[in-house]
Coordinates of all heavy atoms in Angstrom, one line a residue:
M54 N 6.4 -9.9 -11.4 CA 5.9 -8.6 -10.9 C 5.0 -8.9 -9.7 O 4.1 -9.7 -9.8 CB 5.2 -7.8 -11.9 CG 4.6 -6.6 -11.5 SD 3.6 -5.6 -12.7 CE 4.8 -5.4 -14.0
S55 N 5.2 -8.3 -8.6 CA 4.3 -8.5 -7.4 C 3.0 -7.9 -7.7 O 2.8 -7.0 -8.5 CB 5.0 -7.9 -6.2 OG 4.8 -6.5 -6.1
K56 N 2.0 -8.3 -6.9 CA 0.6 -7.8 -7.0 C 0.6 -6.3 -6.6 O -0.1 -5.5 -7.2 CB -0.3 -8.6 -6.2 CG -0.6 -10.0 -6.7 CD -1.5 -10.7 -5.8 CE -1.6 -12.2 -6.3 NZ -2.4 -13.0 -5.3
G57 N 1.4 -5.9 -5.7 CA 1.5 -4.5 -5.3 C 2.0 -3.6 -6.4 O 1.5 -2.5 -6.7
V58 N 3.0 -4.1 -7.1 CA 3.6 -3.4 -8.2 C 2.6 -3.3 -9.4 O 2.4 -2.2 -10.0 CB 4.9 -4.0 -8.7 CG1 5.4 -3.4 -10.0 CG2 6.0 -3.9 -7.6
A59 N 1.9 -4.4 -9.6 CA 1.0 -4.5 -10.7 C -0.2 -3.5 -10.4 O -0.7 -2.8 -11.3 CB 0.5 -5.9 -10.9
A60 N -0.7 -3.5 -9.2 CA -1.8 -2.6 -8.7 C -1.4 -1.1 -8.9 O -2.2 -0.3 -9.4 CB -2.2 -2.9 -7.3
F61 N -0.1 -0.8 -8.5 CA 0.3 0.6 -8.6 C 0.4 1.0 -10.1 O 0.0 2.1 -10.5 CB 1.7 0.8 -7.9 CG 2.1 2.2 -8.0 CD1 1.4 3.2 -7.3 CD2 3.2 2.6 -8.7 CE1 1.8 4.5 -7.4 CE2 3.6 3.9 -8.8 CZ 2.9 4.9 -8.1
A62 N 0.9 0.1 -10.9 CA 1.0 0.4 -12.4 C -0.4 0.6 -13.0 O -0.6 1.5 -13.8 CB 1.7 -0.8 -13.1
A63 N -1.4 -0.2 -12.6 CA -2.8 -0.1 -13.0 C -3.4 1.2 -12.6 O -4.1 1.9 -13.3 CB -3.6 -1.3 -12.6
L64 N -3.1 1.5 -11.3 CA -3.6 2.8 -10.7 C -3.1 4.0 -11.5 O -3.9 4.9 -11.9 CB -3.2 2.9 -9.2 CG -3.6 4.1 -8.5 CD1 -4.3 3.8 -7.2 CD2 -2.5 5.1 -8.3
R65 N -1.8 4.0 -11.8 CA -1.2 5.1 -12.5 C -1.7 5.2 -13.9 O -1.9 6.3 -14.5 CB 0.3 5.0 -12.5 CG 0.9 5.2 -11.1 CD 0.4 6.3 -10.3 NE 1.1 7.6 -10.7 CZ 0.7 8.8 -10.3 NH1 -0.3 8.9 -9.5 NH2 1.3 9.8 -10.7
Q66 N -2.0 4.0 -14.5 CA -2.5 4.0 -15.9 C -3.9 4.6 -15.9 O -4.3 5.4 -16.8 CB -2.5 2.6 -16.5 CG -2.9 2.6 -17.9 CD -2.8 1.2 -18.5 OE1 -2.3 0.2 -17.9 NE2 -3.2 1.0 -19.8
R67 N -4.8 4.1 -15.0 CA -6.2 4.5 -15.0 C -6.4 5.9 -14.4 O -7.2 6.6 -15.0 CB -6.9 3.4 -14.1 CG -8.4 3.8 -13.9 CD -9.2 3.6 -15.2 NE -10.6 3.7 -15.0 CZ -11.3 4.8 -15.2 NH1 -10.6 5.9 -15.6 NH2 -12.6 4.9 -15.1
W68 N -5.6 6.3 -13.4 CA -5.8 7.6 -12.8 C -4.5 8.3 -12.8 O -3.9 8.5 -11.7 CB -6.4 7.5 -11.4 CG -7.8 6.9 -11.4 CD1 -8.9 7.5 -11.8 CD2 -8.2 5.6 -11.0 NE1 -10.0 6.7 -11.6 CE2 -9.6 5.5 -11.2 CE3 -7.4 4.5 -10.6 CZ2 -10.3 4.4 -10.9 CZ3 -8.2 3.3 -10.3 CH2 -9.5 3.3 -10.4
P69 N -3.9 8.7 -13.9 CA -2.6 9.3 -13.9 C -2.4 10.6 -13.1 O -1.3 11.0 -12.7 CB -2.3 9.5 -15.4 CG -3.6 9.6 -16.0 CD -4.5 8.7 -15.2
L70 N -3.5 11.3 -12.9 CA -3.5 12.6 -12.2 C -3.8 12.5 -10.7 O -3.8 13.5 -10.0 CB -4.4 13.6 -12.9 CG -4.2 13.9 -14.3 CD1 -5.2 14.8 -14.9 CD2 -2.7 14.4 -14.5
A71 N -4.0 11.3 -10.3 CA -4.3 11.1 -8.8 C -3.2 11.6 -8.0 O -2.0 11.4 -8.3 CB -4.6 9.6 -8.5
R72 N -3.5 12.2 -6.9 CA -2.6 12.8 -5.9 C -2.7 12.2 -4.5 O -1.9 12.5 -3.7 CB -2.6 14.3 -5.9 CG -2.3 15.0 -7.2 CD -0.8 14.9 -7.4 NE -0.4 15.2 -8.8 CZ 0.2 14.4 -9.6 NH1 0.6 13.2 -9.2 NH2 0.5 14.7 -10.8
S73 N -3.8 11.5 -4.3 CA -4.0 10.9 -3.0 C -4.6 9.5 -3.2 O -5.2 9.2 -4.2 CB -4.9 11.8 -2.1 OG -6.2 11.9 -2.7
L74 N -4.4 8.7 -2.1 CA -4.9 7.3 -2.1 C -5.2 6.8 -0.8 O -4.4 7.1 0.2 CB -3.8 6.5 -2.8 CG -4.0 5.0 -2.9 CD1 -5.1 4.6 -3.9 CD2 -2.6 4.3 -3.3
A75 N -6.3 6.2 -0.6 CA -6.6 5.5 0.6 C -6.6 4.0 0.3 O -7.2 3.5 -0.7 CB -8.0 5.9 1.2
V76 N -5.9 3.2 1.2 CA -5.8 1.8 1.0 C -6.3 1.1 2.3 O -5.8 1.4 3.4 CB -4.3 1.3 0.7 CG1 -4.3 -0.2 0.5 CG2 -3.8 2.1 -0.5
V77 N -7.3 0.2 2.2 CA -7.8 -0.6 3.3 C -7.2 -1.9 3.3 O -7.2 -2.6 2.2 CB -9.4 -0.7 3.2 CG1 -9.9 -1.5 4.4 CG2 -10.0 0.7 3.2
V78 N -6.5 -2.3 4.4 CA -5.8 -3.6 4.4 C -6.1 -4.4 5.6 O -6.4 -3.9 6.7 CB -4.3 -3.3 4.3 CG1 -3.9 -2.7 3.0 CG2 -3.7 -2.5 5.4
G79 N -6.0 -5.7 5.4 CA -6.2 -6.6 6.5 C -4.9 -7.4 6.8 O -3.9 -7.1 6.3
P80 N -5.0 -8.5 7.5 CA -3.8 -9.2 8.0 C -3.2 -10.2 7.0 O -2.1 -10.7 7.3 CB -4.3 -9.9 9.3 CG -5.7 -10.2 9.0 CD -6.2 -9.0 8.2
G81 N -3.9 -10.5 6.0 CA -3.4 -11.6 5.1 C -2.5 -11.1 4.0 O -2.0 -10.0 4.0
N82 N -2.2 -12.0 3.1 CA -1.3 -11.7 2.0 C -1.8 -10.5 1.1 O -1.0 -9.8 0.6 CB -1.0 -12.9 1.1 CG -0.2 -14.0 1.8 OD1 0.5 -13.6 2.8 ND2 -0.2 -15.2 1.4
N83 N -3.1 -10.5 0.9 CA -3.7 -9.4 0.2 C -3.4 -8.0 0.9 O -3.2 -7.0 0.2 CB -5.2 -9.5 -0.1 CG -5.4 -10.6 -1.2 OD1 -4.6 -11.0 -1.9 ND2 -6.6 -11.2 -1.1
G84 N -3.4 -8.1 2.2 CA -3.1 -6.9 3.0 C -1.6 -6.5 2.7 O -1.4 -5.3 2.6
G85 N -0.8 -7.5 2.6 CA 0.6 -7.2 2.3 C 0.8 -6.5 0.9 O 1.5 -5.6 0.7
D86 N -0.1 -7.0 0.0 CA -0.1 -6.4 -1.4 C -0.6 -4.9 -1.3 O 0.0 -4.0 -2.0 CB -0.9 -7.2 -2.4 CG -0.4 -8.6 -2.6 OD1 0.9 -8.8 -2.5 OD2 -1.2 -9.5 -2.9
G87 N -1.6 -4.7 -0.5 CA -2.1 -3.3 -0.3 C -1.1 -2.4 0.3 O -1.0 -1.2 -0.1
M88 N -0.3 -2.9 1.3 CA 0.7 -2.1 1.9 C 1.8 -1.8 0.9 O 2.5 -0.7 0.9 CB 1.2 -2.7 3.2 CG 0.1 -2.6 4.3 SD 0.6 -3.3 5.8 CE 0.0 -5.0 5.7
A89 N 2.2 -2.8 0.0 CA 3.2 -2.6 -1.0 C 2.7 -1.5 -2.0 O 3.4 -0.6 -2.3 CB 3.5 -3.9 -1.7
L90 N 1.4 -1.5 -2.3 CA 0.8 -0.5 -3.2 C 1.0 0.9 -2.5 O 1.4 1.8 -3.1 CB -0.6 -0.8 -3.4 CG -1.5 0.3 -4.0 CD1 -1.0 0.7 -5.4 CD2 -2.9 -0.1 -4.0
A91 N 0.6 0.9 -1.2 CA 0.7 2.2 -0.5 C 2.1 2.7 -0.4 O 2.4 3.9 -0.6 CB 0.1 2.0 0.9
R92 N 3.1 1.8 -0.2 CA 4.5 2.2 -0.1 C 5.0 2.8 -1.5 O 5.6 3.9 -1.5 CB 5.4 1.0 0.3 CG 6.8 1.4 0.3 CD 7.7 0.2 0.7 NE 7.4 -1.0 0.0 CZ 7.8 -1.3 -1.2 NH1 8.6 -0.5 -1.9 NH2 7.5 -2.5 -1.8
L93 N 4.6 2.1 -2.6 CA 5.0 2.6 -3.9 C 4.3 4.0 -4.2 O 5.0 4.9 -4.8 CB 4.6 1.6 -4.9 CG 5.4 0.3 -4.9 CD1 4.7 -0.8 -5.8 CD2 6.8 0.5 -5.3
A94 N 3.1 4.1 -3.8 CA 2.4 5.4 -4.0 C 3.0 6.5 -3.3 O 3.2 7.6 -3.8 CB 0.9 5.2 -3.7
K95 N 3.4 6.2 -2.0 CA 4.0 7.2 -1.1 C 5.4 7.6 -1.8 O 5.7 8.8 -1.8 CB 4.2 6.7 0.3 CG 4.9 7.6 1.2 CD 4.8 7.0 2.6 CE 5.5 7.9 3.6 NZ 5.0 9.3 3.8
Q96 N 6.2 6.6 -2.2 CA 7.5 6.9 -2.8 C 7.3 7.7 -4.1 O 8.2 8.5 -4.5 CB 8.2 5.6 -3.1 CG 8.7 4.9 -1.8 CD 9.2 3.5 -2.0 OE1 9.0 2.9 -3.1 NE2 10.0 3.1 -1.0
A97 N 6.2 7.6 -4.8 CA 5.9 8.4 -6.0 C 5.4 9.8 -5.7 O 5.1 10.5 -6.6 CB 4.9 7.6 -6.9
G98 N 5.2 10.1 -4.4 CA 4.8 11.4 -4.0 C 3.3 11.6 -3.8 O 2.8 12.7 -3.6
L99 N 2.5 10.5 -3.8 CA 1.1 10.6 -3.5 C 0.9 10.7 -2.0 O 1.7 10.3 -1.2 CB 0.3 9.4 -4.0 CG 0.0 9.4 -5.5 CD1 1.2 9.3 -6.4 CD2 -1.1 8.3 -5.8
D100 N -0.2 11.4 -1.7 CA -0.6 11.5 -0.3 C -1.4 10.2 0.0 O -2.4 9.9 -0.6 CB -1.5 12.7 -0.1 CG -2.0 12.8 1.4 OD1 -1.3 12.4 2.3 OD2 -3.0 13.5 1.6
V101 N -0.8 9.4 0.9 CA -1.4 8.0 1.1 C -1.9 7.9 2.6 O -1.2 8.2 3.5 CB -0.3 6.9 0.9 CG1 -0.9 5.6 1.1 CG2 0.2 7.1 -0.5
E102 N -3.1 7.3 2.7 CA -3.7 7.0 4.0 C -3.9 5.4 4.0 O -4.6 4.9 3.1 CB -4.9 7.7 4.2 CG -5.5 7.4 5.6 CD -6.7 8.4 6.0 OE1 -7.0 9.3 5.2 OE2 -7.3 8.2 7.0
V103 N -3.4 4.7 5.0 CA -3.6 3.3 5.1 C -4.5 3.1 6.3 O -4.3 3.5 7.4 CB -2.2 2.6 5.3 CG1 -2.5 1.1 5.5 CG2 -1.3 2.8 4.1
L104 N -5.6 2.3 6.0 CA -6.6 2.0 7.0 C -6.5 0.5 7.3 O -6.8 -0.3 6.5 CB -8.0 2.3 6.6 CG -8.2 3.8 6.0 CD1 -9.4 3.9 5.2 CD2 -8.1 4.7 7.2
L105 N -6.0 0.2 8.5 CA -5.8 -1.2 8.9 C -7.1 -1.7 9.6 O -7.7 -1.0 10.4 CB -4.6 -1.4 10.0 CG -3.2 -1.1 9.4 CD1 -2.3 -1.1 10.6 CD2 -2.9 -2.2 8.4
V106 N -7.5 -2.9 9.3 CA -8.7 -3.5 9.9 C -8.3 -4.3 11.1 O -9.2 -4.9 11.8 CB -9.5 -4.3 8.9 CG1 -10.0 -3.4 7.8 CG2 -8.8 -5.5 8.4
V107 N -7.0 -4.4 11.4 CA -6.5 -5.1 12.6 C -5.4 -4.2 13.2 O -5.0 -3.3 12.6 CB -5.9 -6.5 12.3 CG1 -7.0 -7.4 11.7 CG2 -4.8 -6.4 11.3
Q108 N -5.1 -4.5 14.5 CA -4.0 -3.8 15.1 C -2.7 -4.2 14.4 O -2.5 -5.4 14.0 CB -3.9 -4.1 16.6 CG -5.1 -3.7 17.4 CD -5.2 -2.1 17.4 OE1 -4.2 -1.5 17.5 NE2 -6.4 -1.6 17.2
P109 N -1.7 -3.3 14.3 CA -0.5 -3.6 13.6 C 0.3 -4.8 14.2 O 0.9 -5.6 13.4 CB 0.4 -2.4 13.8 CG -0.6 -1.3 13.9 CD -1.8 -1.9 14.7
D110 N 0.2 -5.0 15.5 CA 0.8 -6.2 16.1 C 0.2 -7.5 15.7 O 0.8 -8.6 15.9 CB 1.0 -6.0 17.6 CG -0.3 -5.9 18.3 OD1 -1.4 -5.8 17.7 OD2 -0.3 -5.9 19.6
A111 N -0.9 -7.5 15.1 CA -1.6 -8.7 14.6 C -1.1 -9.1 13.2 O -1.5 -10.2 12.7 CB -3.1 -8.5 14.6
L112 N -0.3 -8.3 12.6 CA 0.1 -8.6 11.3 C 1.3 -9.6 11.4 O 2.2 -9.3 12.1 CB 0.6 -7.3 10.6 CG -0.5 -6.3 10.3 CD1 0.1 -5.0 9.8 CD2 -1.5 -6.8 9.3
A113 N 1.3 -10.6 10.6 CA 2.4 -11.6 10.6 C 2.8 -11.9 9.2 O 2.1 -11.5 8.2 CB 1.9 -12.9 11.3
G114 N 3.9 -12.6 9.0 CA 4.4 -13.1 7.7 C 4.6 -11.9 6.8 O 5.2 -10.9 7.1
E115 N 4.2 -12.1 5.5 CA 4.4 -11.1 4.5 C 3.7 -9.8 4.8 O 4.2 -8.7 4.5 CB 4.0 -11.6 3.1 CG 4.9 -12.7 2.6 CD 4.5 -13.2 1.2 OE1 3.7 -12.5 0.5 OE2 5.0 -14.3 0.8
A116 N 2.5 -9.9 5.4 CA 1.8 -8.7 5.7 C 2.6 -7.9 6.8 O 2.6 -6.6 6.7 CB 0.4 -9.0 6.3
G117 N 3.1 -8.5 7.8 CA 3.9 -7.9 8.8 C 5.2 -7.2 8.2 O 5.5 -6.1 8.6
E118 N 5.8 -7.9 7.3 CA 7.0 -7.4 6.6 C 6.7 -6.2 5.8 O 7.3 -5.2 5.8 CB 7.7 -8.5 5.8 CG 8.3 -9.6 6.5 CD 8.7 -10.8 5.6 OE1 8.9 -10.5 4.4 OE2 8.9 -11.9 6.1
A119 N 5.5 -6.3 5.1 CA 5.1 -5.2 4.3 C 4.7 -3.9 5.1 O 5.0 -2.8 4.7 CB 3.9 -5.6 3.4
W120 N 4.2 -4.2 6.3 CA 3.8 -3.1 7.2 C 5.2 -2.4 7.6 O 5.2 -1.1 7.7 CB 3.1 -3.6 8.4 CG 2.8 -2.6 9.5 CD1 3.4 -2.5 10.7 CD2 2.0 -1.4 9.4 NE1 3.0 -1.5 11.4 CE2 2.1 -0.7 10.6 CE3 1.2 -0.9 8.4 CZ2 1.4 0.4 10.9 CZ3 0.5 0.3 8.6 CH2 0.6 0.9 9.9
E121 N 6.1 -3.1 8.0 CA 7.4 -2.5 8.4 C 8.1 -1.8 7.3 O 8.6 -0.7 7.5 CB 8.4 -3.6 9.0 CG 8.0 -4.1 10.3 CD 7.9 -3.0 11.3 OE1 8.7 -2.1 11.4 OE2 6.9 -3.0 12.1
D122 N 8.0 -2.3 6.0 CA 8.5 -1.6 4.9 C 7.8 -0.3 4.7 O 8.4 0.7 4.4 CB 8.4 -2.5 3.6 CG 9.4 -3.7 3.6 OD1 10.3 -3.7 4.5 OD2 9.1 -4.6 2.8
L123 N 6.5 -0.3 4.8 CA 5.7 0.9 4.6 C 6.0 1.9 5.7 O 6.2 3.1 5.4 CB 4.2 0.5 4.7 CG 3.2 1.7 4.6 CD1 3.4 2.5 3.3 CD2 1.8 1.2 4.7
R124 N 6.1 1.5 6.9 CA 6.4 2.4 8.0 C 7.8 3.1 7.8 O 8.0 4.2 8.1 CB 6.5 1.7 9.4 CG 5.1 1.3 9.9 CD 5.1 0.6 11.2 NE 6.4 0.6 11.9 CZ 6.5 1.1 13.2 NH1 5.5 1.5 13.8 NH2 7.7 1.1 13.7
Q125 N 8.8 2.3 7.3 CA 10.1 2.9 7.0 C 10.1 3.8 5.8 O 11.0 4.6 5.7 CB 11.1 1.7 6.9 CG 11.3 1.0 8.2 CD 12.3 -0.1 8.0 OE1 13.0 -0.2 7.0 NE2 12.3 -1.1 9.0
A126 N 9.1 3.7 5.0 CA 9.1 4.5 3.8 C 8.6 5.9 4.2 O 8.7 6.9 3.6 CB 8.2 3.9 2.7

C-alpha cells in the first residue's frame, strides 16, 4: 500500500465526515505522497486544495509524476 493510499485511509477513518482537504506539498517523495492523497480525496468527491511550496516545473521524479496524475484527475 502506498503512503498516499494509507494516508487517505487514515484520513477517512479519523474524519469520515470531512468534505474538504488542504494538502501542502513540496518537491520530494513525500510531496508525491501528498499529491497521491489529494488525488484520491478528489476522486472520492472531497473539495481539495493543493498548496505547492515550489513551482510545478521544479517537480521531478515521483513527485512530478504524481503532480501530472493529480492534474489529470
Side-chain angles (χ1 to χ4, degrees):
M54 176 183 304
S55 77
K56 291 178 185 175
V58 171
F61 182 66
L64 178 132
R65 295 311 280 173
Q66 182 177 1
R67 176 68 174 97
W68 296 285
L70 301 178
R72 295 288 165 238
S73 62
L74 177 68
V76 183
V77 180
V78 297
N82 288 340
N83 288 338
D86 295 330
M88 286 181 268
L90 166 64
R92 179 180 46 80
L93 292 167
K95 181 174 177 60
Q96 290 172 340
L99 277 69
D100 181 26
V101 179
E102 184 171 356
V103 176
L104 308 166
L105 291 172
V106 299
V107 297
Q108 294 297 319
D110 59 355
L112 299 171
E115 291 182 15
E118 292 172 19
W120 174 248
E121 286 305 315
D122 290 344
L123 176 59
R124 286 178 17 122
Q125 292 177 15

